[in-house]
Amino acid sequence: MEILGSVPPEPGQAPPARRPIAFDGAWRFTAPALDSSVPRARHAVRDLLRHERVALRDDLLHGLLLIVSELVTNAVQHAALLSPEVSVEVSLGPDWVRVAVEDDHPYRPKPLEAGEDQIGGRGLLLVKAISDEAGGLCDVEHTASGGKVVWAALPLGASRTGPAAGRPAGSTSPPRPR
């Protein structure tokens, strides 16, 4: 997995030094659409939050990392045929943290109720439940390139019951994924 950005070199020039992409409190990295990328993405997000000294309650951190795992797993399992890489973006604001996973597959997934005897199929339901419990938001959007981005934003404040319930006055909403 690459946690580094890259820019193609100009003709006749050496490749530029690789460095993390950071802009406006957002970091983006790519990973191959492989099962092994799921724990690596989760650890990369955890390490980034530690490095940036983002103070998250344990329950919020565990929920956010579970969301990362579910979103990357979905992209790996369902989009790898058309998207050999997935992008993970972490955005920080004064009142929220947002994670987004983008792939090149055009199918826009929806949370589905899985049967009692089914092993999988509850990932987006879990993402929605974690987001709702924390008072956050989640959504799926198409990208300009024809793929999709699935994102979840959680407030850094106290847990709330229900979607976006009890947002502090004057709190800024998380931006839409780029």
Side-chain angles (χ1 to χ4, degrees):
M1 170 183 350
E2 292 214 26
I3 306 180
L4 302 173
S6 63
V7 176
E10 294 291 326
Q13 290 185 351
R18 296 170 72 81
R19 60 180 175 71
I21 297 174
F23 50 92
D24 297 332
W27 294 263
R28 188 175 178 94
F29 58 90
T30 59
L34 301 171
D35 289 337
S36 61
S37 293
V38 175
R40 294 175 73 191
R42 183 177 58 247
H43 294 303
V45 170
R46 181 202 60 207
D47 293 347
L48 172 67
L49 294 173
R50 282 185 184 159
H51 180 267
E52 294 299 315
R53 295 188 172 112
V54 177
L56 292 175
R57 293 185 332 268
D58 282 345
D59 62 327
L60 190 62
L61 176 62
H62 293 302
L64 184 70
L65 296 177
L66 183 54
I67 287 171
V68 170
S69 293
E70 290 298 330
L71 297 183
V72 174
T73 295
N74 284 351
V76 166
Q77 289 182 349
H78 304 293
L81 184 62
L82 296 178
S83 187
E85 281 190 336
V86 298
S87 296
V88 178
E89 183 177 280
V90 179
S91 301
L92 298 171
D95 302 317
W96 49 265
V97 58
R98 180 180 57 78
V99 293
V101 175
E102 183 177 337
D103 63 60
D104 294 329
H105 198 290
Y107 174 70
R108 185 176 173 165
K110 295 179 178 139
L112 301 173
E113 295 288 337
E116 213 174 274
D117 54 345
Q118 287 181 304
I119 295 173
R122 295 179 184 92
L124 286 179
L125 281 177
L126 186 56
V127 169
K128 183 168 177 16
I130 293 168
S131 298
D132 286 351
E133 177 69 24
L137 304 167
C138 62
D139 201 2
V140 180
E141 298 173 355
H142 287 288
T143 62
S145 64
K148 68 181 164 304
V149 60
V150 186
W151 60 270
L154 305 179
L156 295 176
S159 289
R160 296 163 181 86
T161 305
R167 269 190 207 271
S171 129
T172 57
S173 297
R176 297 287 191 193
R178 298 180 203 272

